[in-house]
Amino acid sequence: MRYYARKLGFYVVALWAALTLNFFIPRMMPGNPVDALLAKFQQRGGTVDPSARRAFELMLGTNSDEPLWDQYYHYLGNLIRGDLGVSVSAFPSKVSDVIQESLTWTIVLVGIATLLSFLLGVGLGALVGWRRGTWLDNLIPVTTLLSAVPYFWLALIFVLLFSTTLGWFPLNRGYDVTLDTGWNYDFISSAIYHGTLPALTIVVSSVGGWLLGMRNMMVSTISEDYVLTARAKGLRNSRIMTRYAARNAVLPSVAGFAISLGFVVSGSIITEQVFSYPGIGSKLLDAVQNNDYALMQGIFLVITVAVLAANLVVDLLYGFIDPRTRVEN
């Protein structure tokens, strides 16, 4: 119990530290969200008097007359109540509504792409590691090269090849804007069609890392005594590969996959920007460009909680699977 309590205590402190940085870092940036919002009104020909400016400051939580520490306490209090504020870049929408809408797109796109790249990379890695020294080893340089290619460059190449030249996939957007959103066949099929190329970009660029890691673990695992014993018993090679070698070699990859799931909510900013995909990465970029403190803080909060939760689950699972990690020093 002391092991689990210590882990939980560590992550509670880490969450508090992340929330504190989440509050102070945006306020160290040049610019002001109130000025950005007022500039939008002025571009439309409107005028804002001092009382209206004061109201916007109170609404956005950037009261210049209030000490920074008081703003910090109010920020923590609002978080406890689930109030993330109002977004400047999507005014007058609430931050929670903006995040909820964009997070769904990101989780579906990046989550499915991450799962596919993991399954494909681990499966190929197990096969390549089991048959090391054969022609299958030629897959490693190819996938490693693709992993080294920058996301934006690979995305632009895919757009040029599959969208502009061949016309197989649309250039941008997450769905056909002429359709009504909802759980209907036309909208879902359109979303899948528009998300295929961005997902392919993520899978192609990330599968190499999973393949190489699994292949190396398989090479070291098949030399273990329990694998040699299974071979001496005359078991089938397919059973030895899956039940003995791959089952143990995949453990580090599973830990890495659990952590990568935490980063799913952060989206793929470059990929979403290239394809104009309505994910949370695009919203984060809009928030930075508009000095939208509330939206930046809300997105960073979601990312922080997801990553810490994924790491906590991995730590607790390791403590359960391997009792040696719970031994007190």
Side-chain angles (χ1 to χ4, degrees), residues 101-113 202 263-268 272 277-282:
E101 179 182 357
S102 57
L103 190 60
T104 303
W105 290 97
T106 292
I107 290 178
V108 172
L109 172 66
V110 185
I112 293 177
I202 299 173
F263 287 97
V264 163
V265 298
S266 65
S268 181
E272 291 180 6
Y277 196 79
I280 201 153
S282 299

Side-chain angles (χ1 to χ4, degrees), residues 182-255:
W183 293 101
N184 55 77
Y185 174 78
D186 292 336
F187 173 74
I188 293 175
S189 59
S190 176
I192 294 174
Y193 178 53
H194 281 72
T196 299
L197 196 57
L200 182 63
T201 304
I202 299 173
V203 170
V204 170
S205 59
S206 58
V207 69
W210 298 115
L211 188 152
L212 183 60
M214 185 63 181
R215 186 261 181 193
N216 292 338
M217 286 302 302
M218 281 290 292
V219 170
S220 60
T221 301
I222 59 179
S223 62
E224 296 290 338
D225 292 339
Y226 56 83
V227 176
L228 297 177
T229 302
R231 282 176 169 169
K233 290 181 178 179
L235 299 179
R236 297 191 307 273
N237 284 335
S238 59
R239 183 178 181 184
I240 298 174
M241 183 183 72
T242 56
R243 298 291 298 276
Y244 290 84
R247 186 175 182 179
N248 290 277
V250 78
L251 290 177
S253 296
V254 170

Side-chain angles (χ1 to χ4, degrees), residues 9-323:
F10 169 79
Y11 283 101
V12 168
V13 174
L15 178 60
W16 170 79
L19 293 178
T20 303
L21 293 175
N22 192 25
F23 173 81
F24 284 104
I25 288 179
R27 284 162 174 77
M28 297 178 184
M29 299 172 58
N32 188 294
V34 177
D35 294 335
L37 183 58
L38 295 182
K40 290 184 177 181
F41 285 108
Q42 293 173 354
Q43 289 175 356
R44 299 173 184 174
T47 58
V48 181
D49 56 29
S51 61
R53 179 183 179 87
R54 172 69 174 174
F56 283 131
E57 288 181 346
L58 294 175
M59 180 183 64
L60 298 176
T62 58
N63 185 3
S64 57
D65 297 332
E66 187 179 28
L68 192 60
W69 287 108
D70 291 342
Q71 296 182 34
Y72 173 66
Y73 293 138
H74 292 158
Y75 161 73
L76 293 179
N78 290 335
L79 284 183
I80 294 175
R81 294 192 298 269
D83 182 8
L84 300 179
V86 178
S87 171
V88 171
S89 55
F91 186 83
S93 300
K94 293 182 178 180
V95 170
S96 56
D97 295 336
V98 175
I99 292 178
Q100 181 179 1
E101 179 182 357
S102 57
L103 190 60
T104 303
W105 290 97
T106 292
I107 290 178
V108 172
L109 172 66
V110 185
I112 293 177
T114 301
L115 178 61
L116 290 177
S117 62
F118 171 76
L119 295 176
L120 184 61
V122 166
L124 290 175
L127 183 61
V128 172
W130 181 256
R131 298 183 179 180
R132 67 189 188 283
T134 64
W135 65 271
L136 290 174
D137 274 338
N138 295 328
L139 291 174
I140 297 176
V142 176
T143 55
T144 303
L145 176 63
L146 291 174
S147 298
V149 173
Y151 265 33
F152 71 92
W153 190 83
L154 185 62
L156 291 173
I157 293 298
F158 279 9
V159 168
L160 176 63
L161 178 61
F162 296 109
S163 296
T164 305
T165 303
L166 299 177
W168 291 354
F169 298 101
L171 285 171
N172 50 29
R173 303 290 181 184
Y175 61 96
D176 188 350
V177 294
T178 62
L179 299 175
D180 295 329
T181 59
W183 293 101
N184 55 77
Y185 174 78
D186 292 336
F187 173 74
I188 293 175
S189 59
S190 176
I192 294 174
Y193 178 53
H194 281 72
T196 299
L197 196 57
L200 182 63
T201 304
I202 299 173
V203 170
V204 170
S205 59
S206 58
V207 69
W210 298 115
L211 188 152
L212 183 60
M214 185 63 181
R215 186 261 181 193
N216 292 338
M217 286 302 302
M218 281 290 292
V219 170
S220 60
T221 301
I222 59 179
S223 62
E224 296 290 338
D225 292 339
Y226 56 83
V227 176
L228 297 177
T229 302
R231 282 176 169 169
K233 290 181 178 179
L235 299 179
R236 297 191 307 273
N237 284 335
S238 59
R239 183 178 181 184
I240 298 174
M241 183 183 72
T242 56
R243 298 291 298 276
Y244 290 84
R247 186 175 182 179
N248 290 277
V250 78
L251 290 177
S253 296
V254 170
F257 175 67
I259 296 174
S260 67
L261 286 179
F263 287 97
V264 163
V265 298
S266 65
S268 181
I269 297 177
I270 301 298
T271 303
E272 291 180 6
Q273 192 66 18
V274 170
F275 292 98
S276 298
Y277 196 79
I280 201 153
S282 299
K283 296 299 181 183
L284 178 58
L285 185 60
D286 292 340
V288 173
Q289 292 174 341
N290 291 278
N291 292 320
D292 192 345
Y293 293 167
L295 185 56
M296 279 191 285
Q297 290 172 342
I299 293 176
F300 289 149
L301 174 64
V302 172
I303 296 173
T304 299
V305 171
V307 173
L308 289 177
N311 280 272
L312 176 60
V313 169
V314 171
D315 278 348
L316 296 180
L317 285 178
Y318 260 103
F320 177 77
I321 296 173
D322 190 354

